[in-house]
Amino acid sequence: MKFKSKQTERMYTVLFMAIVTVVFIAVTSGIYLYTRDKIITNKTLFIKKAVLFAANIDVGDSAKDIEETYKKSIKEIRDADGKLKYMEVYAGGNGKLTGYAVIVTGPGLWGEIEAVLGFDRDLKKMTGIDFIKQNETPGLGARISEKWFREQFRDRMGPFKLVPEGTAKGGNEIDAITGASITSNAVLDIVNRTISNVREIVK
Amino acid sequence: MAAKGKVKKTFLSGLGADNPIFAQVLGICSTLAVTNVLKNTVVMVMGLIFVTSLSNFTISLLRNYIPSRIRMMVETLIIAAYVIIVDIVLKAYVPDISRQLGPYVGLIITNCIIMGRAEAFALSNPVGLSVADGLSAGMGYGYVLIIIAFFRELLGSGSIWGLRVLGSWWTNWFIMVMAPGAFFMLAIFIWVVRGLITEREKEEVKS
């Protein structure tokens, strides 16, 4: 483009950038606002489903199912500031306390791992584990999200120890994931640490 | 029609002779990162095709108005906007895949193919041709990644699209799941394809 002077060229450049920026921010913000509720719902649904899995309560995949079951069987206990301390589990459907669930975090290989751990009423056994957040290597460490790995912790109590994949014989042995020792160890640390201090969290 | 021929030629060049992966060796970072699981790869590829074609479209549309001094800022802004849109849409409609891809989607912004096509093509070509070029660069990137991911997942996890296809007799090659496996697969792929192309060129020269 031809300009009358350097001044107008500069003005045009600044103005152009400003307009383009405003237009694109408007478009992305619009799409963000449009999908925001859906994204938040997805996130809470995912957490609720994880809590239910850790509490060993069967639930379908539909949003309605998860919401209803969660409402019926999980009671969130918060401290004075509204921060989640732990959750009480009422699995039987008869209003009797059957266990607890806690959300804990720990370092993984690439980032934080956030997990829900479920325990029975006497804190003597785990009812299960599920992961809310993990950025482990897809195909390797991310396999902690596979069902067989999570199922291993059901109805058992640690401290656990890792053995090579496919060789766990029950008791306190947990199958590690081959090729992902750091992630396996990170999960084990989180679980064992939580087992040792769960009595202080659930009071 | 001359214009139509040009579009076709532009479109085919990205798939073959000017393929971003095996001819220009661009966008390798994401090739290494996402190709160990086929499903993630396909989503990544669709995201990239969407972003390259639309960013090429937009930049080409504005090409006569973008002051050349700040053209890179404008290009980055446009590309980033489209990537954010992809990220938001994945989060809202396919949360599982979005969770698995994690930070990779945001990293589409840094994929050199997109910026490269914007700079080298969209800034100096009409809209239709630029879209064809963007589509072709994205798809050229895409099919190479999908081939690599197919073999990496098959050899590394014994599965395709998450379904186990090889029996229990198969010992997974863990190196295929990790980054070095991608280097090997990519190198073998480039070797085979370039081998074939140079063979043909030699024959053409002879005859």
Side-chain angles (χ1 to χ4, degrees):
Chain A
M1 264 196 240
K2 285 269 186 288
F3 290 99
K4 278 192 189 126
S5 70
K6 265 234 151 66
Q7 226 64 35
T8 41
E9 194 194 340
R10 280 187 194 141
M11 280 297 292
Y12 174 79
T13 308
V14 172
L15 213 68
F16 183 87
M17 193 68 214
I19 291 170
V20 171
T21 310
V22 168
V23 167
F24 275 90
I25 287 177
V27 170
T28 44
S29 311
I31 294 177
Y32 169 73
L33 288 177
Y34 179 72
T35 52
R36 186 177 54 180
D37 291 343
K38 207 167 167 58
I39 291 173
I40 293 172
T41 319
N42 283 343
K43 218 171 159 185
T44 52
L45 264 187
F46 183 73
I47 294 174
K48 284 177 178 170
K49 203 176 168 199
V51 171
L52 290 172
F53 184 87
N56 203 2
I57 299 172
D58 277 332
V59 67
D61 273 326
S62 80
K64 203 173 141 237
D65 235 22
I66 296 170
E67 290 287 0
E68 272 172 12
T69 317
Y70 187 87
K71 216 173 152 193
K72 207 167 62 191
S73 38
I74 306 290
K75 192 173 155 205
E76 295 172 358
I77 307 294
R78 295 172 183 277
D79 63 12
D81 305 328
K83 218 176 134 236
L84 182 72
K85 274 164 76 185
Y86 61 91
M87 285 164 273
E88 289 178 345
V89 182
Y90 300 88
N94 51 8
K96 260 169 104 186
L97 181 73
T98 55
Y100 299 94
V102 292
I103 293 181
V104 290
T105 57
L109 176 59
W110 302 117
E112 202 171 55
I113 296 177
E114 195 173 359
V116 200
L117 275 73
F119 291 93
D120 70 353
R121 200 176 48 172
D122 308 316
L123 302 175
K124 290 256 166 60
K125 265 183 187 168
M126 283 182 68
T127 53
I129 187 172
D130 206 345
F131 300 96
I132 298 173
K133 200 178 102 190
Q134 53 101 350
N135 290 315
E136 303 308 293
T137 324
L140 288 173
R143 289 176 62 215
I144 56 173
S145 293
E146 287 177 9
K147 211 170 174 189
W148 69 268
F149 185 82
R150 294 178 286 147
E151 289 280 3
Q152 294 191 89
F153 294 86
R154 281 218 203 289
D155 294 324
R156 290 163 72 180
M157 198 51 170
F160 295 105
K161 71 171 202 231
L162 291 172
V163 295
E165 193 171 329
T167 63
K169 290 189 193 68
N172 65 346
E173 291 183 345
I174 293 292
D175 274 332
I177 290 168
T178 314
S181 343
I182 295 176
T183 306
S184 306
N185 275 313
V187 170
L188 207 73
D189 284 346
I190 293 171
V191 173
N192 287 344
R193 200 189 59 220
T194 312
I195 286 173
S196 70
N197 66 9
V198 66
R199 278 172 200 286
E200 287 152 41
I201 308 173
V202 182
K203 261 198 294 217
Chain B
M1 252 167 80
K4 208 170 179 184
K6 219 174 170 189
V7 169
K8 198 177 160 196
K9 206 177 144 211
T10 309
F11 186 73
L12 289 177
S13 75
L15 302 180
D18 289 329
N19 185 284
I21 300 281
F22 62 74
Q24 303 178 46
V25 198
L26 285 177
I28 298 307
C29 350
S30 54
T31 310
L32 302 180
V34 298
T35 52
N36 54 2
V37 180
L38 191 58
K39 205 188 250 172
N40 294 356
T41 310
V42 169
V43 176
M44 180 76 177
V45 164
M46 291 189 319
L48 193 107
I49 292 174
F50 175 83
V51 175
T52 37
S53 44
L54 282 181
S55 70
N56 259 16
F57 169 78
T58 317
I59 290 162
S60 171
L61 207 63
L62 295 172
R63 70 184 187 285
N64 293 327
Y65 308 101
I66 301 175
S68 66
R69 197 194 291 244
I70 57 158
R71 65 176 200 283
M72 287 210 170
M73 276 164 73
V74 177
E75 285 160 20
T76 316
L77 181 86
I78 292 169
I79 294 165
Y82 284 122
V83 172
I84 292 168
I85 291 171
V86 170
D87 196 29
I88 293 174
V89 168
L90 289 181
K91 270 200 187 116
Y93 299 101
V94 276
D96 286 331
I97 287 178
S98 162
R99 214 170 287 119
Q100 276 177 40
L101 282 172
Y104 295 147
V105 175
L107 287 174
I108 295 178
I109 296 173
T110 60
N111 194 315
C112 8
I113 295 171
I114 308 173
M115 192 79 175
R117 291 334 290 168
E119 271 284 297
F121 203 92
L123 270 179
S124 49
N125 283 287
V127 176
L129 219 51
S130 296
V131 173
D133 180 73
L135 275 175
S136 127
M139 286 162 71
Y141 165 89
Y143 81 83
V144 176
L145 253 71
I146 288 169
I147 292 170
I148 292 175
F150 177 85
F151 285 107
R152 279 185 76 189
E153 190 178 333
L154 183 68
L155 300 177
S157 312
S159 60
I160 290 166
W161 203 261
L163 296 171
R164 182 110 199 154
V165 286
L166 296 175
S168 50
W169 51 270
W170 175 258
T171 311
N172 293 342
W173 299 8
F174 280 102
I175 193 154
M176 275 300 160
V177 187
M178 292 182 279
F183 274 113
F184 287 126
M185 276 314 299
L186 181 62
I188 292 170
F189 187 86
I190 294 177
W191 175 41
V192 171
V193 172
R194 294 285 277 266
L196 290 176
I197 290 175
T198 27
E199 280 301 301
R200 205 185 308 147
E201 276 168 2
K202 264 187 211 154
E203 273 165 28
E204 273 167 18
V205 171
K206 267 184 211 158
S207 61

